[in-house]
Amino acid sequence: MSKEYHLPSVSFLFLDFNKKNESEIALKSIAQNAKFDYKLVYLSNGGEQDYVWDFYQQGYIDNLILNKENNGLGYGTEDLFRFCETEYAVYWQNDQILGREIYQSEIDYYIKSLRQNQKIGAIGLAGTPCGPNTYSERAHIINVKFYNTIPKSHGGCGRFNHLKYNEQSVQEYFKENGYDFATTSSLWAIDNGVNTIRELPCGGLVKMR
């Protein structure tokens, strides 16, 4: 008799482009601190792939997607959501680590909140870097089918502009349609401490220590 296929309620969606060290730190933090049932979907967005296969063989990755070329954050994220099998997704960036132990009861509570309040579009797991009740592309949990209903952005021209997963366009969609961006009182995600300066799509610069 074949083993019954079990599908959890949530997947981590993880996008990488040539960030071996950051990705390894992030994956290890998830493996150590995610004490709930999940799958991890990993997309290598056109970069070096030897180390990605090492991650897969070490058991960090459940579903692996290998893109031949880098199509940018927006299209890469769309690929992740398209191949996500679970009802909910935890969108994760590879310069973030899971900073504390998270148990099944907590993830169940967030999913219950999303199901009971249809006006909560997503729950932020990394604070409010774009301001109170303002959608952020940093770590958050969202219903996969809901994400797939968000229309593509129509602003600008060029290779990466006509895409769905664009922080400003999702912010506008939430505001225009009355969706809230809730946040956890006890954060999951913290930045990994790499010395970088990131330009925020919502405006301004933030220095990562």
Side-chain angles (χ1 to χ4, degrees):
M1 180 180 295
S2 62
K3 184 179 178 180
E4 183 179 353
Y5 180 69
H6 172 68
L7 187 66
S9 58
V10 67
S11 295
F12 281 91
L13 303 186
F14 195 103
L15 188 145
D16 171 39
F17 176 68
N18 288 340
K19 296 290 185 181
K20 177 183 178 180
N21 293 336
E22 291 90 337
S23 295
E24 185 174 18
I25 292 169
L27 290 172
K28 286 183 176 180
S29 75
I30 292 171
Q32 179 178 350
N33 289 325
K35 307 296 185 180
F36 58 90
D37 199 12
Y38 68 90
K39 283 188 173 294
L40 194 141
V41 185
Y42 187 110
L43 187 144
S44 177
N45 206 17
E48 180 187 347
Q49 295 178 352
D50 288 345
Y51 72 84
V52 178
W53 281 111
D54 290 339
F55 293 159
Y56 182 79
Q57 292 169 356
Q58 292 171 43
Y60 293 124
I61 301 167
D62 295 297
N63 298 333
L64 176 59
I65 307 165
L66 301 174
N67 278 353
K68 291 183 178 180
E69 61 179 7
N70 183 359
N71 290 320
L73 174 65
Y75 286 115
T77 303
E78 284 201 43
D79 286 340
L80 284 168
F81 273 91
R82 187 166 72 249
F83 287 100
C84 182
E85 300 176 286
T86 55
E87 184 179 2
Y88 291 87
V90 175
Y91 183 72
W92 203 261
Q93 300 213 6
N94 62 2
D95 60 357
Q96 295 177 303
I97 60 175
L98 188 56
R100 63 181 178 85
E101 292 183 343
I102 309 294
Y103 291 90
Q104 189 69 47
S105 59
E106 185 170 345
I107 194 74
D108 288 345
Y109 173 78
Y110 297 140
I111 290 174
K112 181 180 178 181
S113 299
L114 286 166
R115 286 174 176 164
Q116 289 184 341
N117 190 336
Q118 298 298 310
K119 281 302 181 181
I120 298 178
I123 297 177
L125 307 172
T128 55
C130 293
N133 197 32
T134 303
Y135 173 87
S136 168
E137 67 181 9
R138 305 300 281 166
H140 62 275
I141 181 171
I142 192 168
N143 180 279
V144 174
K145 287 184 178 179
F146 170 69
Y147 163 79
N148 286 324
T149 67
I150 299 174
K152 290 179 181 287
S153 169
H154 295 287
C157 59
R159 186 179 179 193
F160 300 146
N161 287 333
H162 188 69
L163 48 87
K164 182 181 296 181
Y165 205 89
N166 172 286
E167 189 169 65
Q168 298 100 315
S169 64
V170 180
Q171 287 174 1
E172 292 170 4
Y173 182 82
F174 271 43
K175 291 177 180 178
E176 290 172 0
N177 294 278
Y179 288 107
D180 292 325
F181 184 72
T183 55
T184 60
S185 59
S186 181
L187 303 183
W188 289 29
I190 58 176
D191 292 304
N192 64 14
V194 175
N195 290 311
T196 60
I197 295 179
R198 175 180 294 111
E199 182 177 357
L200 298 177
C202 51
L205 298 173
V206 59
K207 184 175 181 180
M208 320 290 290
R209 60 175 183 80

